[in-house]
Structure formats: structure tokens, C-alpha cells
Amino acid sequence: MKGNKKDKLFQWTAGIVLTIGGILFVLPFFWMILSSFKMESEVIQIPPTLWPKEFTMENYKNLFENMNFGVYLKNTLIIVLFSFFGMFLNAMAGFGFAKYNFKGKESTFLLVLATMMIPSQVTMIPVYLILNKMNLTDTMLGIVLPGLVGAFGIFLFRQFMTTIPDEILEATRLDGASEFRIFLQIILPVSKPILAVQGILAFIGGWNSFLWPLIMANNERLYTLSVGLSLLKSQYGGNFALQMAGATFMVMPVIIIFIIFQKNIIENYTTSGSK
Amino acid sequence: MKLKMRKTTATVLASTLLVMGILSGCGAKSADTGNSNDKVTTISVWGMGEEAKSIPKIAELFEAENPNIKVEVQALPWDTAHDKLLTAVASKKGPDVVQMGTTWIPEFANAKALKDLTPYLDKYPGLKQENFYPGSVETGTYEDAYVGVPWYIDTRVLYYRTDLLKEVGYDQAPKTWEEMQDVSKKLADRGQGKYGFSLDVKEQSLAFMLARQNGSKLFDAEGKPLFNQPEFVGAVKYMNSYFENGSAPMDLGIDAIQGFRGEGVAPMFISGPWMVQLIQDQAPELEGKWATAVLPAGKENNFSSLGGANMSVFEYTKNEEASLKFVEFMAKPETQLKWMELTNSLPSSKEAWENPILQEDANYKVFGEQLETAIPMPSTKEFEEIAQSFLSSFEKVYRTKGADIQKEMDDFNKKAESIINK
Amino acid sequence: MKSFTSRKAPYLFIAPAIILLTLFSLLPILVALFISFTDMDLAGLADYSNLSFIGFKNYIEVLADPVFLKAIFNTLFYVIVGVPLVIVTSLGVALLINLGVSKVFKVFRVVYYLPSVTNVVAVAVVWTYLYNPAFGLFNYILESMNLSAIPWLTEPTVAKVSLILMALWRAVGLNMIIFIAALQGIPRSYYEAAQLDGANTWQQVTKITVPMLRFAIFFVSITTMIGWLQFFEEPFIMTKGGPLDGTMSAALFIYKNGFQLSNFGYAAAGSFILFIAVIAVTLVQYRMQSKESDY
């Protein structure tokens, strides 16, 4: 089938279009990384230089002297772990909505969807007051609870899980497995593709957590990377080189993690088309 | 089946509880701030922005004097400090001591979030009002409650490049508004991409300061705004003239120092004392090519605005004594001089100003002279919102060619009235 | 007994999520609704005895507030320009990547979704610098090609577009993944049958792929729409809503009034107007979608 001229041409066109777009997509990253190695005086030159005249590690040194980077990183990672747990709760709820019939299912689900439309700015103060009543301010738990589950995730899981044939469940039930075991041993393995998408979302959400840690933490102990960077921005407003170093430091670990794990994450999607 | 169901229920519940348990375990652990040892009191101090970095160094000196008090300093980004204070007020849980920008005092004092220190003055004489500049005591006072102890003060002066002003025939800084306009125009005429005066359109106190120089009282005796009166409108026209004839840069995207150094894209700006240090650090090559001067005088005077920060004790603190001790320590003349060394912010303590450093250094002399007449911004809780509203009105003025300034100010005055009468 | 199992189990599965959503989404919205009929400010927040009911006053005032109306206009602008842009770009990239046969295409998947995993604060820091009129890379490139500089963030309409570009850069990755996942779900037998009938790539895409993706497109358009309606982080960090309120979004207006000026009652009223708009738009989309699939 393959290999005719038209197809080859198409492949090349697709490749070229994607390459041009891809260059545009990574350009900001290059600019960020290159600038982080420039001297402050070079960063504010007019016209700007693309390649650093002399590479300097000064900005990175500076970063460590002025930021508790280790602490921020640790907190951010803890929050990421929590978001994975939240994903598990979303999956449970999605399964409940997808595979059972119960009283009030439709209306409950609609209510869940409605929560997606609530702008977070509206609920911030009330949520804070509720957490305060629960005595959770200034704790890690208070930071992660409000965003632990989300309608978006529940909805995605439900959509996916409705496509799983009922027969599989029935067969396992006849073998005498409990409902929860069915979920763990049958449903989750089948749901790998959606788990991958959700995993990415959970990671991004956790990694970017900014507002809650800032509002909840009465102490730097609980700050995350985003909060640290915004602090840097407010203390070194004009120092672009230092800010770029901070940004690079935040972005690079994620990029590296994704390049390493992208196989596992996206492998689910690869077609067997490239034989 | 029934049994199985129970098992399922149990499994789900148990796992949920287990996780919750682990979670709250973490929560509890991190919430423990070391109050277990009853000998040592820990107070938390919130500082903001750039200064927050230097507070720990001062706090160490305090801890050395008071071994049974530990100080935890938390730095907040300026952008989000206000939100965080709001939530602290809502939950009545927050810092023990908090840095208060002078413009925020009215709002938080009105919400009863800051302790009135009047009853404590005999026990902590270092807090007494007579130790400080009257103008800065005024910023910490709200409706007769003394809620903010003066910490550092700042006032705006003119920064200028002596060498570049010489080139256009000014051996001294401009003394009046007219001279200021004239020298700015001459500097801007040096060529394409060159300007005279970097007028900061995001600085909310600038217009009100200039209006006072032009004879405006800002508010009448009943508290009605006077922003559409000739004195105020004249000041806005004066500000706008810099944009109209191209003496001030618009949307250049460079900060004051970047415009100040080198060729001098904008060789003059008005700013506070922190800039002295920043210029020395970031543009050391300018040594001897720049100076500060008192502001050019308007029709009436050359009064500058008085700002800065106060130290307040949070109303809901559980460590009253330690907090007051800390605030008193921060108010001491020697602490304030140490603070000046670290951050270049000016002391609010009168005694500190007798120090030879402040008497001899050329820049400090200028600030000292400017401070003698500096007046704080009006201390009403609505002022912050009024100032914000002015900035958006002024943006309409300077971005529109031939804007009707009187009309814009009429609108702004109406808006200010409605903010006050809310 | 069997039925008993199925009766109880679902409640247990959905319980944790529902409890959390009730606590942190539904309950707060009721609290906010209550607040919107009061004159709550900081003093009211500190001590509830300072609150008083003022009926619909907040709603009437906010609807007459020129800044709010501008924010609504900008938000519509974001939706009308942003939604199609995000969908077309993500779908286009997903299709091209999916059709590619060489190993190179795997690299593209990583490249295109990198921006969406990066931290918004870091991104804003970088883009602020890219857009900087004097030192920014963009204007530098334009000038070196002898084109005139663009006022990226300093002209109201251009600034809106600049923010949309930046948000697009961040949004493509995730939606592309959703589309790719959906593309995998299309049975290969369909394509094989089409190939036997002699359909070329383009025909396969239009006749099989896009119709099969209908649900994914609907899903992405709903979530993207909600995202744009609640557009907040970019204008908040990059422009603070300026110049001349040109990038002010409804969500940012709420934030500014609530958290910077402490007019909580007023901000809550504004937020309910936004909330109702989001629900209305979603329902309309939902109706259109169900109509389409009924033929």
C-alpha cells in the first residue's frame, strides 16, 4: 500500500509543516535557556544577542543563594503525588457513573459537570473559610484537598469506561470477585490510555500549583516552585537573566522527565501503523 | 454476596481512611511549629518583596538579644501579598508581626486587623510617637488608633545624570516645573530614541503629589474630592505635556536604571531612596555622573510624598509580648541604621538622623531636606481604590492624542465620589 | 442479593469525589451567592456583624460598570478567536502526527506538548521577556528582517492577540494528546476498507477520521470554551489587564475587585454573571451536539 509517490509527498509535507511549527514551539525554551547563561549586562543590550557572548553560571549560583530551591522542589513533588491520588479517586467516581445504575445518577452527574464551570476566583474565599473551619490552614492537606478531585477528570474517566463491555464485568462477578477488586484488576488495566492522559494532567496540575500554596502557607516551609519563582520576580524585577535561570530550573526537570517517560506515556497511542 | 459487599465497603472505606489518615498525619506534622518547648516563643513576621530578604539578618540580632524568642520570617511577593493578608484577616490566623505598606494601613485598620498600640506605650517606650517623624506617625494612625509603628520611610526625589544635563546647559538640577519641562525637551531633542524624563505611569502617588505642588488640597473639609478643580487638572496637564512633546518615553519596556545608564535614554526620573543602592550595584560605571536633587517646585511648593512601611502587630496574635518586643527592636535608632546599611531605606527615627552618615552623604542630605516637608497620601481606606482609578483615567489621557483632560477628570471625580459614598 | 450489590457499590465509588466536590465547589458557590447580595468588604469579612443586605444593588452596579462591560467584550473576543484557533491547531497537529510513519514523528509529539507541561509562572516570565519592546527576541527578529516592531503588549487589540498566542502555545499539547487518543480508537478496518475502495489520504481524513472524532471535538471545544471564559493567569501575570483594560478578562475583573480592592460582594455579583454565562454557553453547545448526532 505504502510507498507510492503521493504518500511519500504527503509524508514529507507533513514533516516539514510540523518541523516549522515545532521550531516555533521550542523557540521560547531556547531563548530562556540561552538567556539564563548570559551576564545581566548582556541581557539588556540593545539589540539583544542570541548566543551568549560568554557563558556564565552566575545566575544559577545566585539562584541557590537566594532561594530555598530544595524545599520548594520537595513540596512540589509532594503535591504531584497527591494529584495522582486524586486521579485515582476520579477514576473511581468515573467508574461509578459509567457502570452502575442508581437513583439520582443523572442529576448527580450533571451537578458534577456544573462544578467545572465555577470560576475559581469566586470560590476562593469561601473555600478558604471552610478549610479554616476544618483547621487545615498552613498544612499540606489544606493545600491539596480543594483541587484533589475534578469534574473534568471524572467526566473523562466516565466517557472512557462506558466503552468497556459489560460482559467482562459480569464474567468476573460470576467468579465471585468483589466490586472493588473488579475495579482494581479489570477496569484500571483496561483504562491505561485514559490513565496516561489523566496522569499528564495530574502532573501538570500538581507541578503548577501556585495560588493555594501561596494562600494557605503561612510559612515558607510549604512554598512550591511557582511561588518561589514569583517571589524571585517580585524581588528582582529588572533582572531578566536571573529570572530566566529560575524559569529554566523549573522547566528543565519536567522536560527531562517527559523525554524519559514519554515512551511509557504515549506508547499507548502509537499505532502499529509503522510496520 | 452480602458478605462480599461488606468486604468491598470495608476495603473502600479502609483504604480511604488509611489515605486520609496518612494525609492528616502529614498535615499535623507540618503544622507543628515547635511550640512544644514552652521556653521558646516563635513569632512569625511577614515581609514583602525586596526588603523581605534582609529581615532575617536583622532578626538574628534580635534573637541574640532575646534567646527565648525565635523569629520566622516569611517573604511574600508584592503582587499577591494583599490576597494573603485578606485570607489571614478572614481566618484570624496569620502572622504575629506584619510589614504594612503605608497605603494599606487604613483598609486593614478599618477591618480591625491591626492592634491599637496606644495602651502599650508606657511598657514599651520605644514605640512612642515622639521618637519618629510626624509625617510617618500619621501614616500609622487611623481614626485615633495607633496601629503601625514607623519603620522606614521613603520620599521621592529627582535622580538625574549630571553629565548629560550639563551638555544641554544645565549645571544644576531643574528648580521649577518650567525648567523641568525645558530640560526634558532639550534632552529629548538629542535624537531618535532619546527622552528627557522617565515618568512612571504606574506610580499611583505621583499625580497626587504633583497636584499638591500645584496647590490642590485633594479633598475639601467635608472629604469631597477636588479632582476636577483647576489645581488638580493642571497637574495632570503638566504630566501629560511630557508625553505630548515626546520628552517622556511611553511603553519602552525598560526599567529606570536601564534608561539611566549608558547614552541615557531617559536621564531623569523621580524615585525613592532604594534607587541609590540599585544604581551603585547595577550601573557602577556611572559613578560621579549622577546625583539626586529635591523636586522641582510647582506653583505652590515642592512637597514630596511620604511613603514607606510600618510594623504592625496582628490583632489576633497569641504572642503579644514577643511581638511587641520585636516591633520595638525594629524601631530602635541603631536597628534602623543597620537596616539602612542593608537596604538603603531611610530611618523613621529622629534620633537616627543625627548620625553623621546621614548628615554628610550628599544623597542622604537631599532626602533629609525633602523629608522635612514630605506629606503622606490621604489616609482613607478608599484611597487605594481611588488611586487605581486615577491610573486608568490617566492612561486614557496619555494614550489619546488631544484628550479632553477636563472631561476625563470630571469623570474621575465622579468615580471617586461614588467610591467614597459606597 | 445481586441487585443489592449494584445498589450500594456505586455510591461507595462516587462518595469520595462527591464529598470533596460538595465541600470545595458546591458549598462555596452557595456561600458566594449569599455574599453577592451583601456589601461585604474586608471589615465584613473580619466581623460578620458589619454585613448588611443590599438586594440586587451589586448586580445593577456591576452591569453598568464600563470596565466590567469591557471585560465581557474582551472575554468574548478571547472565546471567538481562541476556541477555533486552539481546536484547529491541535487537531491539525494531531492528524499530521498520527499520519506520519517515520520515527521522527514521535519527536514531534514531545515537542508539541512540552509547553503545556511547563509552569505558568515560568512561562509568563519568559514570554514577558520575549515580548519586551526593547530587549525582546520577537521585535529583534522583526527588526533584523527590516520589519517594524510590533507593540505586543502595549496596544489593546494587539495585546489581546499576544495573550491568545501565548495561551495557544500552552493549550495545543494537551488537546493534541486527547485527539491522538481518540484517533487511536478508530478501528483500522475502516481505513483498510476505504483504501480498498481507492480513497486517498485526504478523503480518508474527511470521510472517516473527522466524523469519528465528533465526540472528541465536542469535548475539546467545551473544555476550551470554559477555559477561555475563565481566562485569568496570562492577563494576570503578563499585563494586569492593561493597556486601557484591553486585556481585562471577566475572571481578572472579579479577582481585582475581590482581592485587590476587597469589594467581595461586588466581585461575587460579577462572578455569578460569568457563571451563568458559562452554563448558558455550555448548554447551547450541548444542544447543538445532541441535534447533530440525532440525524
Side-chain angles (χ1 to χ4, degrees):
Chain A
M1 281 292 118
K2 299 216 169 64
N4 64 32
K5 269 219 177 75
K6 246 200 186 130
D7 249 10
K8 259 238 162 57
L9 183 72
F10 176 82
Q11 289 291 333
W12 272 101
T13 323
I16 288 165
V17 170
L18 285 173
T19 308
I20 293 169
I23 289 171
L24 288 175
F25 262 63
V26 294
L27 190 75
F29 291 120
F30 273 117
W31 181 243
M32 169 182 84
I33 295 165
L34 287 174
S35 303
S36 72
F37 291 108
K38 289 177 189 170
M39 305 287 273
E40 175 61 17
S41 54
E42 189 181 345
V43 162
I44 51 169
Q45 263 181 9
I46 306 175
T49 53
L50 190 58
W51 202 257
K53 272 190 233 139
E54 45 174 324
F55 272 82
T56 168
M57 293 302 287
E58 199 53 40
N59 298 314
Y60 289 92
K61 272 227 296 279
N62 216 331
L63 204 63
F64 276 97
E65 283 162 13
N66 297 312
M67 281 171 79
N68 284 331
F69 213 86
V71 177
Y72 303 154
L73 184 67
K74 191 191 80 191
N75 290 330
T76 308
L77 290 175
I78 292 173
I79 291 175
V80 167
L81 284 179
F82 273 119
S83 6
F84 284 128
F85 173 71
M87 176 176 90
F88 178 76
L89 293 183
N90 284 341
M92 272 171 55
F95 176 62
F97 282 119
K99 284 292 163 201
Y100 294 96
N101 277 317
F102 53 91
K103 209 166 150 251
K105 175 171 149 174
E106 290 307 312
S107 49
T108 319
F109 190 65
L110 273 179
L111 212 55
V112 168
L113 285 189
T115 62
M116 202 153 79
M117 302 163 197
I118 300 172
S120 61
Q121 294 80 24
V122 189
T123 52
M124 211 161 112
I125 288 270
V127 167
Y128 184 86
L129 294 174
I130 291 166
L131 285 166
N132 187 41
K133 281 270 182 295
M134 294 163 75
N135 261 333
L136 288 175
T137 44
D138 206 18
T139 63
M140 202 39 137
L141 194 55
I143 292 173
V144 295
L145 268 188
L148 204 56
V149 294
F152 185 75
I154 295 172
F155 178 78
L156 273 184
F157 276 117
R158 177 188 160 245
Q159 285 307 354
F160 185 89
M161 288 172 180
T162 24
T163 63
I164 299 171
D166 282 332
E167 293 78 23
I168 303 182
L169 303 190
E170 288 307 327
T172 336
R173 271 188 197 132
L174 289 176
D175 292 345
S178 74
E179 299 295 314
F180 194 64
R181 240 183 67 199
I182 294 175
F183 172 70
L184 283 182
Q185 297 186 330
I186 310 287
I187 301 291
L188 285 185
V190 177
S191 311
K192 261 205 194 110
I194 195 75
L195 279 171
V197 172
Q198 288 285 300
I200 296 169
L201 279 177
F203 183 91
I204 296 169
W207 187 259
N208 286 344
S209 48
F210 170 65
L211 209 55
W212 277 120
L214 182 79
I215 300 273
M216 286 312 239
N218 282 350
N219 188 305
E220 220 176 328
R221 265 195 345 269
L222 294 173
Y223 275 9
T224 57
L225 289 174
S226 315
V227 180
L229 191 67
S230 72
L231 201 60
L232 189 79
K233 202 175 164 219
S234 88
Q235 290 180 345
Y236 301 92
N239 191 335
F240 284 121
L242 188 66
Q243 288 180 38
M244 290 307 119
T248 305
F249 213 96
M250 267 178 104
V251 169
M252 284 324 279
V254 193
I255 291 185
I256 291 163
I257 288 170
F258 267 86
I259 287 174
I260 294 170
F261 288 111
Q262 62 106 0
K263 262 209 166 59
N264 317 23
I265 291 169
I266 328 184
E267 216 48 9
N268 302 302
Y269 311 122
T270 37
T271 35
S272 44
S274 46
K275 280 183 197 120
Chain B
M1 274 296 158
K2 215 176 214 157
L3 192 79
K4 201 173 296 144
M5 189 56 235
R6 241 185 247 140
K7 243 169 76 187
T8 310
T9 317
T11 325
V12 174
L13 268 181
S15 55
T16 319
L17 284 177
L18 182 73
V19 173
M20 286 291 166
I22 294 168
L23 294 190
S24 45
C26 297
K29 241 204 296 290
S30 56
D32 178 19
T33 46
N35 279 349
S36 51
N37 186 346
D38 54 6
K39 282 275 183 292
V40 177
T41 324
T42 305
I43 56 169
S44 75
V45 176
W46 286 4
M48 285 148 208
E50 180 106 37
E51 298 101 274
K53 286 202 308 259
S54 307
I55 298 178
K57 293 177 192 144
I58 293 276
E60 278 169 26
L61 301 175
F62 175 74
E63 285 171 340
E65 275 183 33
N66 303 280
N68 59 349
I69 302 177
K70 222 170 130 276
V71 181
E72 273 191 356
V73 179
Q74 198 189 353
L76 309 178
W78 272 117
D79 292 353
T80 41
H82 198 254
D83 318 357
K84 228 177 131 41
L85 282 166
L86 293 187
T87 51
V89 172
S91 67
K92 306 191 171 31
K93 272 202 284 194
D96 297 301
V97 175
V98 58
Q99 170 187 350
M100 269 279 146
T102 50
T103 48
W104 288 0
I105 290 255
E107 188 192 356
F108 287 93
N110 180 58
K112 306 252 180 313
L114 311 174
K115 233 185 222 330
D116 181 3
L117 304 173
T118 316
Y120 305 96
L121 296 180
D122 290 334
K123 200 175 165 202
Y124 300 93
L127 305 178
K128 285 202 168 132
Q129 286 98 329
E130 60 261 27
N131 300 326
F132 313 102
Y133 273 92
S136 73
V137 173
E138 207 178 304
T139 62
T141 310
Y142 181 77
E143 294 179 353
D144 300 331
Y146 178 44
V147 293
V149 177
W151 174 24
Y152 66 81
I153 42 181
D154 68 56
T155 185
R156 305 298 149 102
V157 298
L158 179 71
Y159 284 73
Y160 68 105
R161 284 278 299 273
T162 45
D163 56 340
L164 298 174
L165 264 75
K166 244 196 196 75
E167 281 171 28
V168 294
Y170 273 82
D171 291 340
Q172 284 178 312
K175 293 267 181 293
T176 61
W177 279 16
E178 291 71 28
E179 284 186 14
M180 182 76 189
Q181 281 170 311
D182 176 67
V183 69
S184 301
K185 185 81 190 77
K186 285 184 171 137
L187 286 163
D189 289 339
R190 286 173 302 158
Q192 183 66 29
K194 295 278 192 301
Y195 304 91
F197 170 45
S198 174
L199 193 153
D200 185 358
V201 289
K202 291 197 170 57
E203 170 58 65
Q204 50 183 33
S205 63
L206 185 67
F208 300 96
M209 176 178 97
L210 292 172
R212 278 174 174 161
Q213 295 180 358
N214 204 31
S216 170
K217 290 270 170 291
L218 304 184
F219 296 95
D220 68 8
E222 280 92 60
K224 281 210 169 58
L226 304 166
F227 303 139
N228 56 355
Q229 299 304 310
E231 297 85 1
F232 194 92
V233 176
V236 177
K237 282 192 174 131
Y238 167 69
M239 281 165 74
N240 192 45
S241 72
Y242 288 93
F243 294 107
E244 270 181 331
N245 66 14
S247 341
M250 203 193 296
D251 299 329
L252 207 53
I254 58 178
D255 70 20
I257 293 185
Q258 292 157 351
F260 201 57
R261 68 197 313 175
E263 305 256 287
V265 173
M268 294 193 289
F269 61 88
I270 287 176
S271 189
W274 56 87
M275 280 316 244
V276 173
Q277 184 72 36
L278 282 175
I279 295 173
Q280 287 165 352
D281 287 349
Q282 294 186 16
E285 76 279 2
L286 289 182
E287 184 63 42
K289 292 185 182 161
W290 64 278
T292 50
V294 291
L295 295 177
K299 204 170 65 193
E300 290 288 324
N301 55 51
N302 77 336
F303 293 175
S304 183
S305 63
L306 186 130
N310 301 346
M311 276 282 173
S312 295
V313 177
F314 198 56
E315 177 67 50
Y316 312 103
T317 176
K318 294 189 176 61
N319 307 310
E320 194 178 275
E321 205 171 309
S323 305
L324 286 161
K325 261 197 185 144
F326 181 75
V327 174
E328 188 178 36
F329 177 82
M330 293 304 272
K332 282 205 306 208
E334 45 273 35
T335 317
Q336 295 203 341
L337 285 167
K338 180 90 194 128
W339 182 251
M340 184 178 85
E341 246 175 78
L342 290 169
T343 62
N344 270 45
S345 24
L346 305 172
S348 57
S349 141
K350 283 189 218 155
E351 198 186 314
W353 276 85
E354 289 158 15
N355 187 292
I357 310 174
L358 285 159
Q359 295 294 340
E360 287 155 23
D361 178 285
N363 290 324
Y364 284 131
K365 271 230 282 284
V366 171
F367 280 106
E369 188 184 336
Q370 192 79 68
L371 270 173
E372 279 163 23
T373 54
I375 316 172
M377 284 292 121
S379 72
T380 58
K381 69 178 197 310
E382 297 89 5
F383 189 73
E384 177 87 3
E385 193 170 346
I386 289 174
Q388 295 274 349
S389 168
F390 171 78
L391 289 184
S392 56
S393 292
F394 183 59
E395 192 178 15
K396 284 191 202 123
V397 169
Y398 74 82
R399 286 193 189 278
T400 326
K401 276 253 180 304
D404 182 349
I405 297 181
Q406 184 62 50
K407 188 193 156 298
E408 282 299 340
M409 289 303 114
D410 285 339
D411 290 353
F412 165 54
N413 204 56
K414 272 203 206 70
K415 179 98 177 81
E417 274 175 2
S418 77
I419 290 171
I420 292 168
N421 297 330
K422 229 186 353 212
Chain C
M1 262 199 298
K2 182 71 165 307
S3 62
F4 176 72
T5 307
S6 330
R7 258 214 322 271
K8 203 78 169 266
Y11 292 112
L12 292 173
F13 276 115
I14 64 170
I18 297 295
I19 290 168
L20 285 170
L21 282 178
T22 307
L23 259 183
F24 298 117
S25 291
L26 297 171
L27 191 61
I29 204 88
L30 291 177
V31 175
L33 183 63
F34 168 81
I35 291 173
S36 73
F37 293 106
T38 66
D39 60 353
M40 188 189 248
D41 57 3
L42 188 63
L45 188 65
D47 183 353
Y48 299 145
S49 65
N50 294 329
L51 283 187
S52 48
F53 266 95
I54 54 170
F56 281 94
K57 187 160 167 271
N58 284 327
Y59 287 89
I60 294 161
E61 279 183 7
V62 82
L63 283 171
D65 185 334
V67 182
F68 185 69
L69 297 178
K70 194 161 214 169
I72 295 282
F73 168 81
N74 291 338
T75 306
L76 287 175
F77 184 98
Y78 290 134
V79 169
I80 291 164
V81 178
V83 174
L85 205 59
V86 169
I87 293 172
V88 169
T89 316
S90 344
L91 186 56
V93 171
L95 282 173
L96 288 176
I97 286 180
N98 202 48
L99 289 166
V101 288
S102 98
K103 284 268 185 284
V104 176
F105 287 84
K106 284 192 180 167
V107 178
F108 286 130
R109 277 186 321 216
V110 180
V111 164
Y112 280 94
Y113 84 39
L114 273 187
S116 65
V117 301
T118 50
N119 185 297
V120 65
V121 182
V123 165
V125 168
V126 177
W127 281 72
T128 305
Y129 183 33
L130 285 167
Y131 279 146
N132 184 299
F135 318 120
L137 179 68
F138 290 162
N139 277 352
Y140 171 62
I141 292 173
L142 288 173
E143 276 160 18
S144 58
M145 296 187 337
N146 283 332
L147 296 164
S148 58
I150 291 179
W152 295 105
L153 295 174
T154 49
E155 199 281 323
T157 309
V158 179
K160 274 197 275 285
V161 176
S162 300
L163 291 187
I164 288 176
L165 282 179
M166 177 178 148
L168 173 73
W169 181 74
R170 280 186 64 215
V172 164
L174 181 69
N175 294 320
M176 171 194 85
I177 291 286
I178 291 172
F179 281 132
I180 288 184
L183 286 168
Q184 305 306 327
I186 301 172
R188 296 208 52 75
S189 54
Y190 288 28
Y191 292 112
E192 279 153 15
Q195 277 171 354
L196 288 175
D197 293 346
N200 63 20
T201 312
W202 178 245
Q203 284 168 324
Q204 286 175 33
V205 167
T206 50
K207 291 281 188 298
I208 299 171
T209 317
V210 173
M212 291 293 289
L213 284 184
R214 193 181 295 131
F215 179 76
I217 293 173
F218 163 69
F219 177 77
V220 168
S221 59
I222 287 260
T223 52
T224 310
M225 173 96 69
I226 291 175
W228 283 113
L229 282 168
Q230 301 181 3
F231 194 47
F232 170 74
E233 284 169 332
E234 284 83 355
F236 173 62
I237 301 179
M238 306 275 294
T239 59
K240 298 267 185 286
L244 290 176
D245 299 323
T247 56
M248 176 74 69
S249 68
L252 184 57
F253 174 88
I254 295 164
Y255 178 88
K256 270 201 162 165
N257 275 284
F259 290 99
Q260 288 172 342
L261 305 172
S262 318
N263 302 327
F264 299 113
Y266 193 67
S271 68
F272 267 88
I273 293 166
L274 174 65
F275 184 47
I276 290 160
V278 175
I279 289 188
V281 165
T282 317
L283 283 179
V284 167
Q285 276 223 302
Y286 192 74
R287 279 282 146 76
M288 276 163 52
Q289 158 79 8
S290 29
K291 260 214 194 76
E292 246 184 43
S293 48
D294 281 349
Y295 65 85

